[in-house]
Amino acid sequence: MSSTPMVQIQDVHKRFGRNEVLRGVSFDVQKGEVVVILGPSGSGKSTLLRLISHLDALDSGRIYVDGRLVGYEERGGKLHALSDRAASIARADVGMVFQRFNLFPHLDALGNVNAAPVHVRRMPKSAAIARGTELLTQVGLADKLHAYPAQLSGGQQQRVAIARALAMNPKVMLFDEATSALDPELVGEVLEVMKQLAHDGMTMIVVTHEMGFAREVADRVMLVDGGVVVESNTPDAFFDHPQHERTRSFLSKIL
């Protein structure tokens, strides 16, 4: 791992109306590190990922990916939002995989993977097709290049979504409950792809309830609750010797 963080989250606050969802969250993620975030519903986990990918706007604080301020430029100590075009280009450094697959129903698997590289990265179509074919093969879908989402299982659709995110050559991958909408027998095939990405050195921030994945793959496990980081530690220490009563209470209900 590099000494320079790939992701830096500094005193991030976010509220929706009167509900303060994040209340001063700060942590770093090193290059090649896998951080798993746990927490109850409504704790701010998904909001945090949406801020890192600049799908939502910060209220205050700063988020950097590979040393670059996400979604903003700083002038005179104040943040100024990037143009939509500039923000889209910057957002390409962050791959995001959602609970729902969000595939384009009118495009086949290869078309879904190719769309962003062609339209955002301005990649030549022939190069995008070659890269998309490579990525779909990587996630075990070489025989489904021209299948449409309605013809794919949930696990296959989620693997297409992972390939689509990877097609932008992101510096960090975010997974927001990527397996929670799947039938139990399909969860494993998606987790295997995620494990391989971690093995290959991808920087990953994963919101999940898959405790086995957290224990096996994470470098660090974090509990977020009430909009703050309650505890952060190695998987063994987090699960076997939690330091905070809130962590012990949370684990007692899910394990």
Side-chain angles (χ1 to χ4, degrees), residues 216-246:
E216 179 183 351
V217 181
D219 297 296
R220 188 156 36 113
V221 182
M222 186 179 297
L223 177 67
V224 172
D225 192 19
V228 299
V229 176
V230 175
E231 183 161 351
S232 177
N233 216 326
T234 64
D236 286 347
F238 184 93
F239 288 109
D240 297 336
H241 307 288
Q243 299 299 301
H244 293 265
E245 176 56 36
R246 180 67 189 96

Side-chain angles (χ1 to χ4, degrees), residues 110 114 118 123-135 145:
L110 191 56
N114 292 346
V118 170
M123 183 182 289
K125 192 168 184 179
S126 60
I129 289 172
R131 176 65 172 154
T133 301
E134 175 190 343
L135 288 169
L145 299 182

